Amino acid sequence: GDTVYLAGQVAAAAGADITVQTQQVLEKIDSLLAEAGSDRSKILSAQIWIASMGQFAQMNAVWDAWIPEGQAPARALQVVLV
């Protein structure tokens, strides 16, 4: 139907800090949503994977600035030990 599924979006600069990586992933998501005729205001849920809880505040600051106010989707965070 009219639902768009995105999965496996990763940063282009794997060696960059979490702020840059988050910005890159969200820019890629914006692009993919636009190609599908949608945008971030229509996101229903998101699952975010980070390497350490120590990165959460930095990632979350970028996320909060990106999500339209009052339209935050359901979100799950997973810490992956690498």
Side-chain angles (χ1 to χ4, degrees), residues 4-77:
V4 176
Y5 294 92
L6 301 178
Q9 305 311 311
V10 297
D17 69 22
I18 190 68
T19 299
V20 171
Q21 288 187 21
T22 303
Q23 290 167 338
Q24 288 179 348
V25 169
L26 296 178
E27 287 169 5
K28 189 183 296 185
I29 290 171
D30 274 336
S31 177
L32 291 168
L33 289 171
E35 283 182 41
S38 191
D39 63 62
R40 66 181 92 154
S41 71
K42 297 179 178 110
I43 296 174
L44 299 175
S45 68
Q47 187 167 8
I48 301 167
W49 299 71
I50 60 175
S52 165
M53 275 306 289
Q55 299 172 324
F56 177 76
Q58 294 162 294
M59 178 282 303
N60 201 49
V62 176
W63 171 266
D64 284 345
W66 182 75
I67 286 294
E69 188 170 334
Q71 296 180 350
R75 182 176 72 164
L77 178 73

